[in-house]
Amino acid sequence: MHIPDAYISGFVAAIVSTIGTLIASRISFRAVNESAKKASDGIKQQIDFQTRAKLAEFRQAWINELRVQMSTLQSLGVTPNLPQAEKEGFYKAGTMIELLMDRNDPQFAELQSCMYSFLAAQTIEEKYSCNAPYVHVCQDVLKAEWERLKKELVHSPDAGA
């Protein structure tokens, strides 16, 4: 039996067309998968950044509150003859600082010591002598927390930062 050349040409053309379609589909499938992976990675990066930004917002609010309480304690601590009505604010600020701070913070003991120095001071000279060390340790604590906030915001935790 003899197969006409037209049939063979049509059959070969169909096979070549089918193979071409399969190759094009495979290339298109790869491109779609790569595009989807890139989009997924981009979404994951966006979520990671938004999470870090929200945590940084909370940390900044915490730093701001710590700063307010530190300054309240300092201003009441150096006030001569602090009226009884304002002593509650002094004690409250000290307690708030202790509650806001992590007791495992390397500067916590020094900060607490400076705070209790204000409490123990009897004369105005003693109160004033407590001021500089207290302000210094407060600046160190606030600076360290600010640096930590910046580092957490900029560097992803899974990037080894």
Side-chain angles (χ1 to χ4, degrees):
M1 168 170 166
H2 182 313
I3 301 175
D5 288 340
Y7 285 122
I8 293 175
S9 302
F11 182 70
V12 169
I15 290 176
V16 169
S17 175
T18 302
I19 291 172
T21 301
L22 290 173
I23 291 171
S25 295
R26 178 71 177 156
I27 290 170
S28 177
F29 181 75
R30 277 188 183 169
V32 166
N33 275 348
E34 287 177 20
S35 177
K37 183 175 179 348
K38 286 180 183 176
S40 175
D41 290 346
I43 290 170
K44 286 178 185 176
Q45 288 175 349
Q46 175 98 16
I47 290 170
D48 179 57
F49 176 78
Q50 288 174 344
T51 300
R52 287 183 285 124
K54 192 64 171 173
L55 290 173
E57 184 181 325
F58 290 142
R59 180 172 288 282
Q60 184 60 55
W62 171 80
I63 290 170
N64 291 345
E65 179 62 22
L66 183 61
R67 181 180 292 110
V68 165
Q69 296 303 325
M70 288 173 160
S71 66
T72 299
L73 184 96
Q74 185 271 342
S75 65
L76 294 173
V78 296
T79 301
N81 304 318
L82 188 64
Q84 186 61 34
E86 292 185 31
K87 284 185 181 180
E88 181 182 332
F90 175 78
Y91 296 127
K92 182 180 178 183
T95 302
M96 285 294 294
I97 292 166
E98 289 178 322
L99 292 173
L100 287 166
M101 287 292 298
D102 176 0
R103 68 174 179 251
N104 296 318
D105 185 294
Q107 296 173 306
F108 180 72
E110 183 181 1
L111 176 61
Q112 196 173 40
S113 174
C114 288
M115 289 170 30
Y116 282 91
S117 293
F118 273 124
L119 187 60
Q122 297 296 316
T123 67
I124 192 63
E125 292 79 20
E126 290 173 347
K127 288 176 181 260
Y128 287 159
S129 71
C130 297
N131 191 52
Y134 174 76
V135 170
H136 181 78
V137 73
C138 288
Q139 289 173 328
D140 289 347
V141 166
L142 294 169
K143 176 69 173 174
E145 291 303 331
W146 171 246
E147 292 300 326
R148 183 174 171 190
L149 182 148
K150 289 191 307 186
K151 184 178 179 185
E152 288 175 355
L153 185 58
V154 173
H155 299 293
S156 174
D158 56 341

